[in-house]
Each structure stands twice: as structure tokens, then as C-alpha cells.
Amino acid sequence: MMKFIKIDENSRVPKYQQIIDSIIHNISNGNLTIDQKIPSINMFSEEFYLSRDTVEKAYSILKERNIITSIRGKGFYISRTKLISKVNILFLMNKLSTYKLRTYNYFIDSIGANSHTDLHIYHCDETLFLNLLDKNMAAYDYYIIMPHFKTENLEHISFTEKVLEKLKKLTPEKLILLDNSKPIFNGKTNEIYQDFENDIYVALTEGLEKIKKYEKIMLIYPEKSVYPYPKRILHGFRKFCVEHKLDFEILNKVYDDMILKRGDLFITIEETDLVSLVKQVREDEYKLGKDIGIISYNETPLKDLLGISTISTDFKVMGETTAEIILNKTKGCKIKVPFNFINRDSL
């Protein structure tokens, strides 16, 4: 590494700043890579005949900017290689779905050009999530995390003990919990969240006048899934039906050749169930929105185009609010995202 570092004795630029500039320049052109070890403070000062204080000041500034990190007993390492932006962000998303990507795209559009965001998908897998966080623990200014995990039985869990332990090692102000809420830092962490149980209850109540015209309501809730859903959705749905004395049933999926009856109303969560149900309604020559009703969970442009009624969080607000928190350097903000009932032709 030493051969790449240039210190100009005749320059008016302070020596510590020359060290910083030289290291950043060599990262930018690829001479230095992430996780690469750099010389110790003593070695650097001896090589360039600089005072130890000068090198220590340069290293301290580089550490503050998360460009290098120190490991006790081992030395200093490059921790960031993308230096073209003022703010570096790690975005950890549990799955790559249409509506999750809408949140991400709204965030990217709002955060502006003075930032760099790395998106990683951890597939609701605890081990993959922990490995990603371990690898990038000191490399970013902000960590945006959508916390949704699965148990060994493929059931949903918002946080695991190991995940909580790892998150507590982050600086609270650097962490933004998205889509889910957990008070783990005494109010210092920013949270932009859905209230899954109350959201579905309130949204369905908004559509009660149309919903109660149907004979029976079926919620298609996958009990076990590669990407499981919060059981709070189930609790909110059941609460709504019981309070309004509505006949209901909870199904695991839309079955092939499922028996459909006039007066049925289905609430689907997964896209595959929605597609299968619409196909069966058409094959059985029922009229969608009159004979059979459908409400789909999570709004997408395609559902709007097809006239499918939805109950959904506002992904635009979620993405834009997250960007505003970073741009305004907000701390300890807790915001519940609006959740809406959108009535269309399928109801």
C-alpha cells in the first residue's frame, strides 16, 4: 500500500489531510479494496517521517467517516469503497416483491443524488441477515431495515433474540426500522411502521357497507410460507368479522377447482392466490364484484389497472418519509404509515 501514498513536503495542504486525500483517492481508483489492511499508525509515521499525532489525526477522521475501521489487536482496515456520496446507506429488505420495491423506489427518488444506497435481500432468513449486518457493521452512515423473519416452522416472527442483540450494537441514530416497530433503543431509533392488526381492522371497517352485502368472507392466509406474513393480520381480520357478526373462514390457499358460491368475498394476500382466484371466477362464469368479491392485500399498479379493490399501506409515504428522516437528520421519530381501503370494481 505504501507505494500508492503520496505526501508532498512542499504542499500547503496539512499532512494529515494529504493522508486522508491519498487514501480516498486510492480507494476510488481501486488500489485499496474493502477489508484490506492498512499500515499501523507507527508504521505509517516511520515510513513518511511524520509525527505519530499527524497520522493518528488522519486515521481518526477516516474512522469518523466510516472509511476505515479498527479491530483491537489486529489493526486498521478499509471499510468503505463507495465514496462518491456524502451519505452511504445500507437497505436490508426481507423479500423482493412489487410493493416492497415501490417503497424502495420512492425512497431512492426522494433521497437525491448526494447519497449511495446498497440494497440487499435477506429472504426472511436470520442467518443471512446476521451475516450481512456483520459484514457491513461499520461501513454505512444509515441502516434501513425491514425486519421480517421466519421460524423453523416457516411462521412469521418480527425479531429474533439474535437479531435484537445485533441491532443493539448499531448506533441508535443510524438505525431506521421500516415496516415494523420495536422499541429497542429507548426512543432513539427512527421507526416508520405498519400496525398490522389494527390496520386491517380499520380498513375493512371503512368498506363495511359493501362487505356486509356478501354471505361469507374468506381470508386466504398462508399458514406456512417461504415469506411468511404477520399473524397480526389474522387477528385483525378475525376481530373485524366477530365484532360485525359476519360469517367467515380462514383458508391456507386458493385451491385448484375450489368451490365458489355467489355471495363469497375473498381477501387474498399473496399474488399467486389472487391470480388463481380471478382465473377460477372467470372459468366458472361468475361476475367479479357482483357474484364474487375480491379484496387484495397491498396495492400495486397492476391491481389498479385490473380494478381490484385493495387494503394497503401507503408505500409512497413510507419511502418518502424514510428519506426525509435521513435528509433532516431526524432522531427518535416514530411514524405510523397510513393504511387505506381502496374500493374498485371487484367489490
Side-chain angles (χ1 to χ4, degrees):
M1 171 194 159
M2 292 296 195
K3 64 181 179 180
F4 299 122
I5 302 299
K6 304 296 181 185
I7 304 296
D8 186 354
E9 290 290 337
N10 298 317
S11 174
R12 297 297 187 268
V13 177
K15 299 296 189 298
Y16 76 87
Q17 188 62 52
Q18 290 191 50
I19 296 171
I20 293 169
D21 293 343
S22 189
I23 287 177
I24 289 176
H25 173 72
N26 282 287
I27 290 173
S28 299
N29 64 22
N31 290 332
L32 299 178
T33 58
I34 196 165
D35 293 332
Q36 182 174 340
K37 188 174 183 180
I38 62 175
S40 67
I41 292 174
N42 288 337
M43 187 182 300
F44 203 109
S45 62
E46 290 173 5
E47 177 72 19
F48 292 98
Y49 304 102
L50 298 170
S51 72
R52 193 180 188 282
D53 288 345
T54 297
V55 182
E56 191 170 21
K57 183 175 182 178
Y59 276 30
S60 178
I61 293 171
L62 289 167
K63 282 179 67 178
E64 287 177 6
R65 295 174 62 183
N66 293 325
I67 294 169
I68 67 171
T69 188
S70 60
I71 300 176
R72 186 182 293 275
K74 292 187 177 181
F76 295 90
Y77 295 83
I78 302 295
S79 59
R80 184 193 295 179
T81 56
K82 288 172 179 152
L83 302 168
I84 58 172
S85 56
K86 292 181 180 179
V87 179
N88 278 259
I89 303 159
L90 178 64
F91 202 124
L92 292 180
M93 188 181 290
N94 63 301
K95 65 177 179 179
L96 200 61
S97 63
T98 302
Y99 50 92
K100 298 276 184 180
L101 279 177
R102 290 186 73 198
T103 298
Y104 176 75
N105 289 332
Y106 283 125
F107 168 77
I108 292 299
D109 289 343
S110 300
I111 196 67
N114 290 328
S115 67
H116 174 84
T117 303
D118 285 327
L119 174 64
H120 289 276
I121 313 299
Y122 65 91
H123 303 289
C124 297
D125 185 272
E126 179 194 61
T127 301
L128 180 55
F129 175 87
L130 293 173
N131 288 340
L132 283 168
L133 208 52
D134 267 334
K135 183 179 179 182
N136 297 289
M137 201 53 134
Y140 292 88
D141 301 302
Y142 286 94
Y143 296 80
I144 301 172
I145 293 170
M146 284 186 170
H148 294 281
F149 298 90
K150 57 188 173 187
T151 65
E152 291 182 357
N153 295 324
L154 296 180
E155 294 179 341
H156 181 274
I157 183 170
S158 298
F159 296 87
T160 69
E161 289 301 319
K162 289 182 179 179
V163 167
L164 286 174
E165 287 177 15
K166 188 64 64 177
L167 292 179
K168 288 176 181 178
K169 293 182 180 180
L170 291 171
T171 303
E173 292 79 7
K174 290 185 174 184
L175 175 60
I176 300 175
L177 294 179
L178 196 60
D179 203 38
N180 227 328
S181 177
K182 185 74 173 180
I184 59 176
F185 283 125
N186 298 320
K188 294 181 180 180
T189 301
N190 292 298
E191 301 175 31
I192 304 97
Y193 66 97
Q194 297 188 61
D195 183 350
F196 292 97
E197 181 172 341
N198 288 321
D199 281 346
I200 188 172
Y201 172 82
V202 172
L204 291 176
T205 302
E206 287 180 31
L208 179 60
E209 289 305 309
K210 286 209 165 188
I211 290 171
K212 67 183 182 182
K213 294 178 181 179
Y214 291 88
E215 299 294 326
K216 187 173 184 177
I217 309 174
M218 270 71 62
L219 173 65
I220 312 299
Y221 177 86
E223 278 292 337
K224 296 181 179 180
S225 174
V226 175
Y227 301 112
Y229 297 89
K231 285 196 172 181
R232 286 166 283 168
I233 296 173
L234 199 63
H235 302 329
F237 169 76
R238 187 180 283 114
K239 177 183 175 183
F240 167 78
C241 293
V242 170
E243 284 195 9
H244 295 288
K245 299 178 181 179
L246 301 172
D247 187 16
F248 71 95
E249 185 177 358
I250 296 168
L251 304 174
N252 185 50
K253 65 177 182 177
V254 172
Y255 297 91
D256 294 336
D257 300 320
M258 188 165 62
I259 298 172
L260 302 179
K261 295 182 179 180
R262 283 183 175 84
D264 284 347
L265 170 61
F266 292 88
I267 300 175
T268 63
I269 297 178
E270 291 199 335
E271 304 290 289
T272 52
D273 284 323
L274 174 61
V275 172
S276 178
L277 183 59
V278 171
K279 183 179 179 182
Q280 290 190 49
V281 168
R282 290 175 177 175
E283 288 176 350
D284 291 352
E285 297 183 350
Y286 286 117
K287 186 174 181 181
L288 184 61
K290 183 178 180 182
D291 300 323
I292 305 289
I294 295 178
I295 300 174
S296 183
Y297 201 92
N298 290 319
E299 173 72 354
T300 67
L302 185 58
K303 292 172 188 176
D304 183 10
L305 182 65
L306 296 176
I308 303 295
S309 299
T310 61
I311 49 176
S312 178
T313 195
D314 192 321
F315 301 108
K316 186 173 188 289
V317 170
M318 186 178 287
E320 291 178 350
T321 302
T322 305
E324 287 171 9
I325 283 174
I326 293 175
L327 293 171
N328 297 329
K329 299 182 179 179
T330 307
K331 297 179 181 179
C333 185
K334 189 170 183 178
I335 299 173
K336 182 194 169 303
V337 180
F339 195 91
N340 305 307
F341 167 72
I342 305 172
N343 184 40
R344 297 193 180 105
D345 295 339
S346 69
L347 191 63

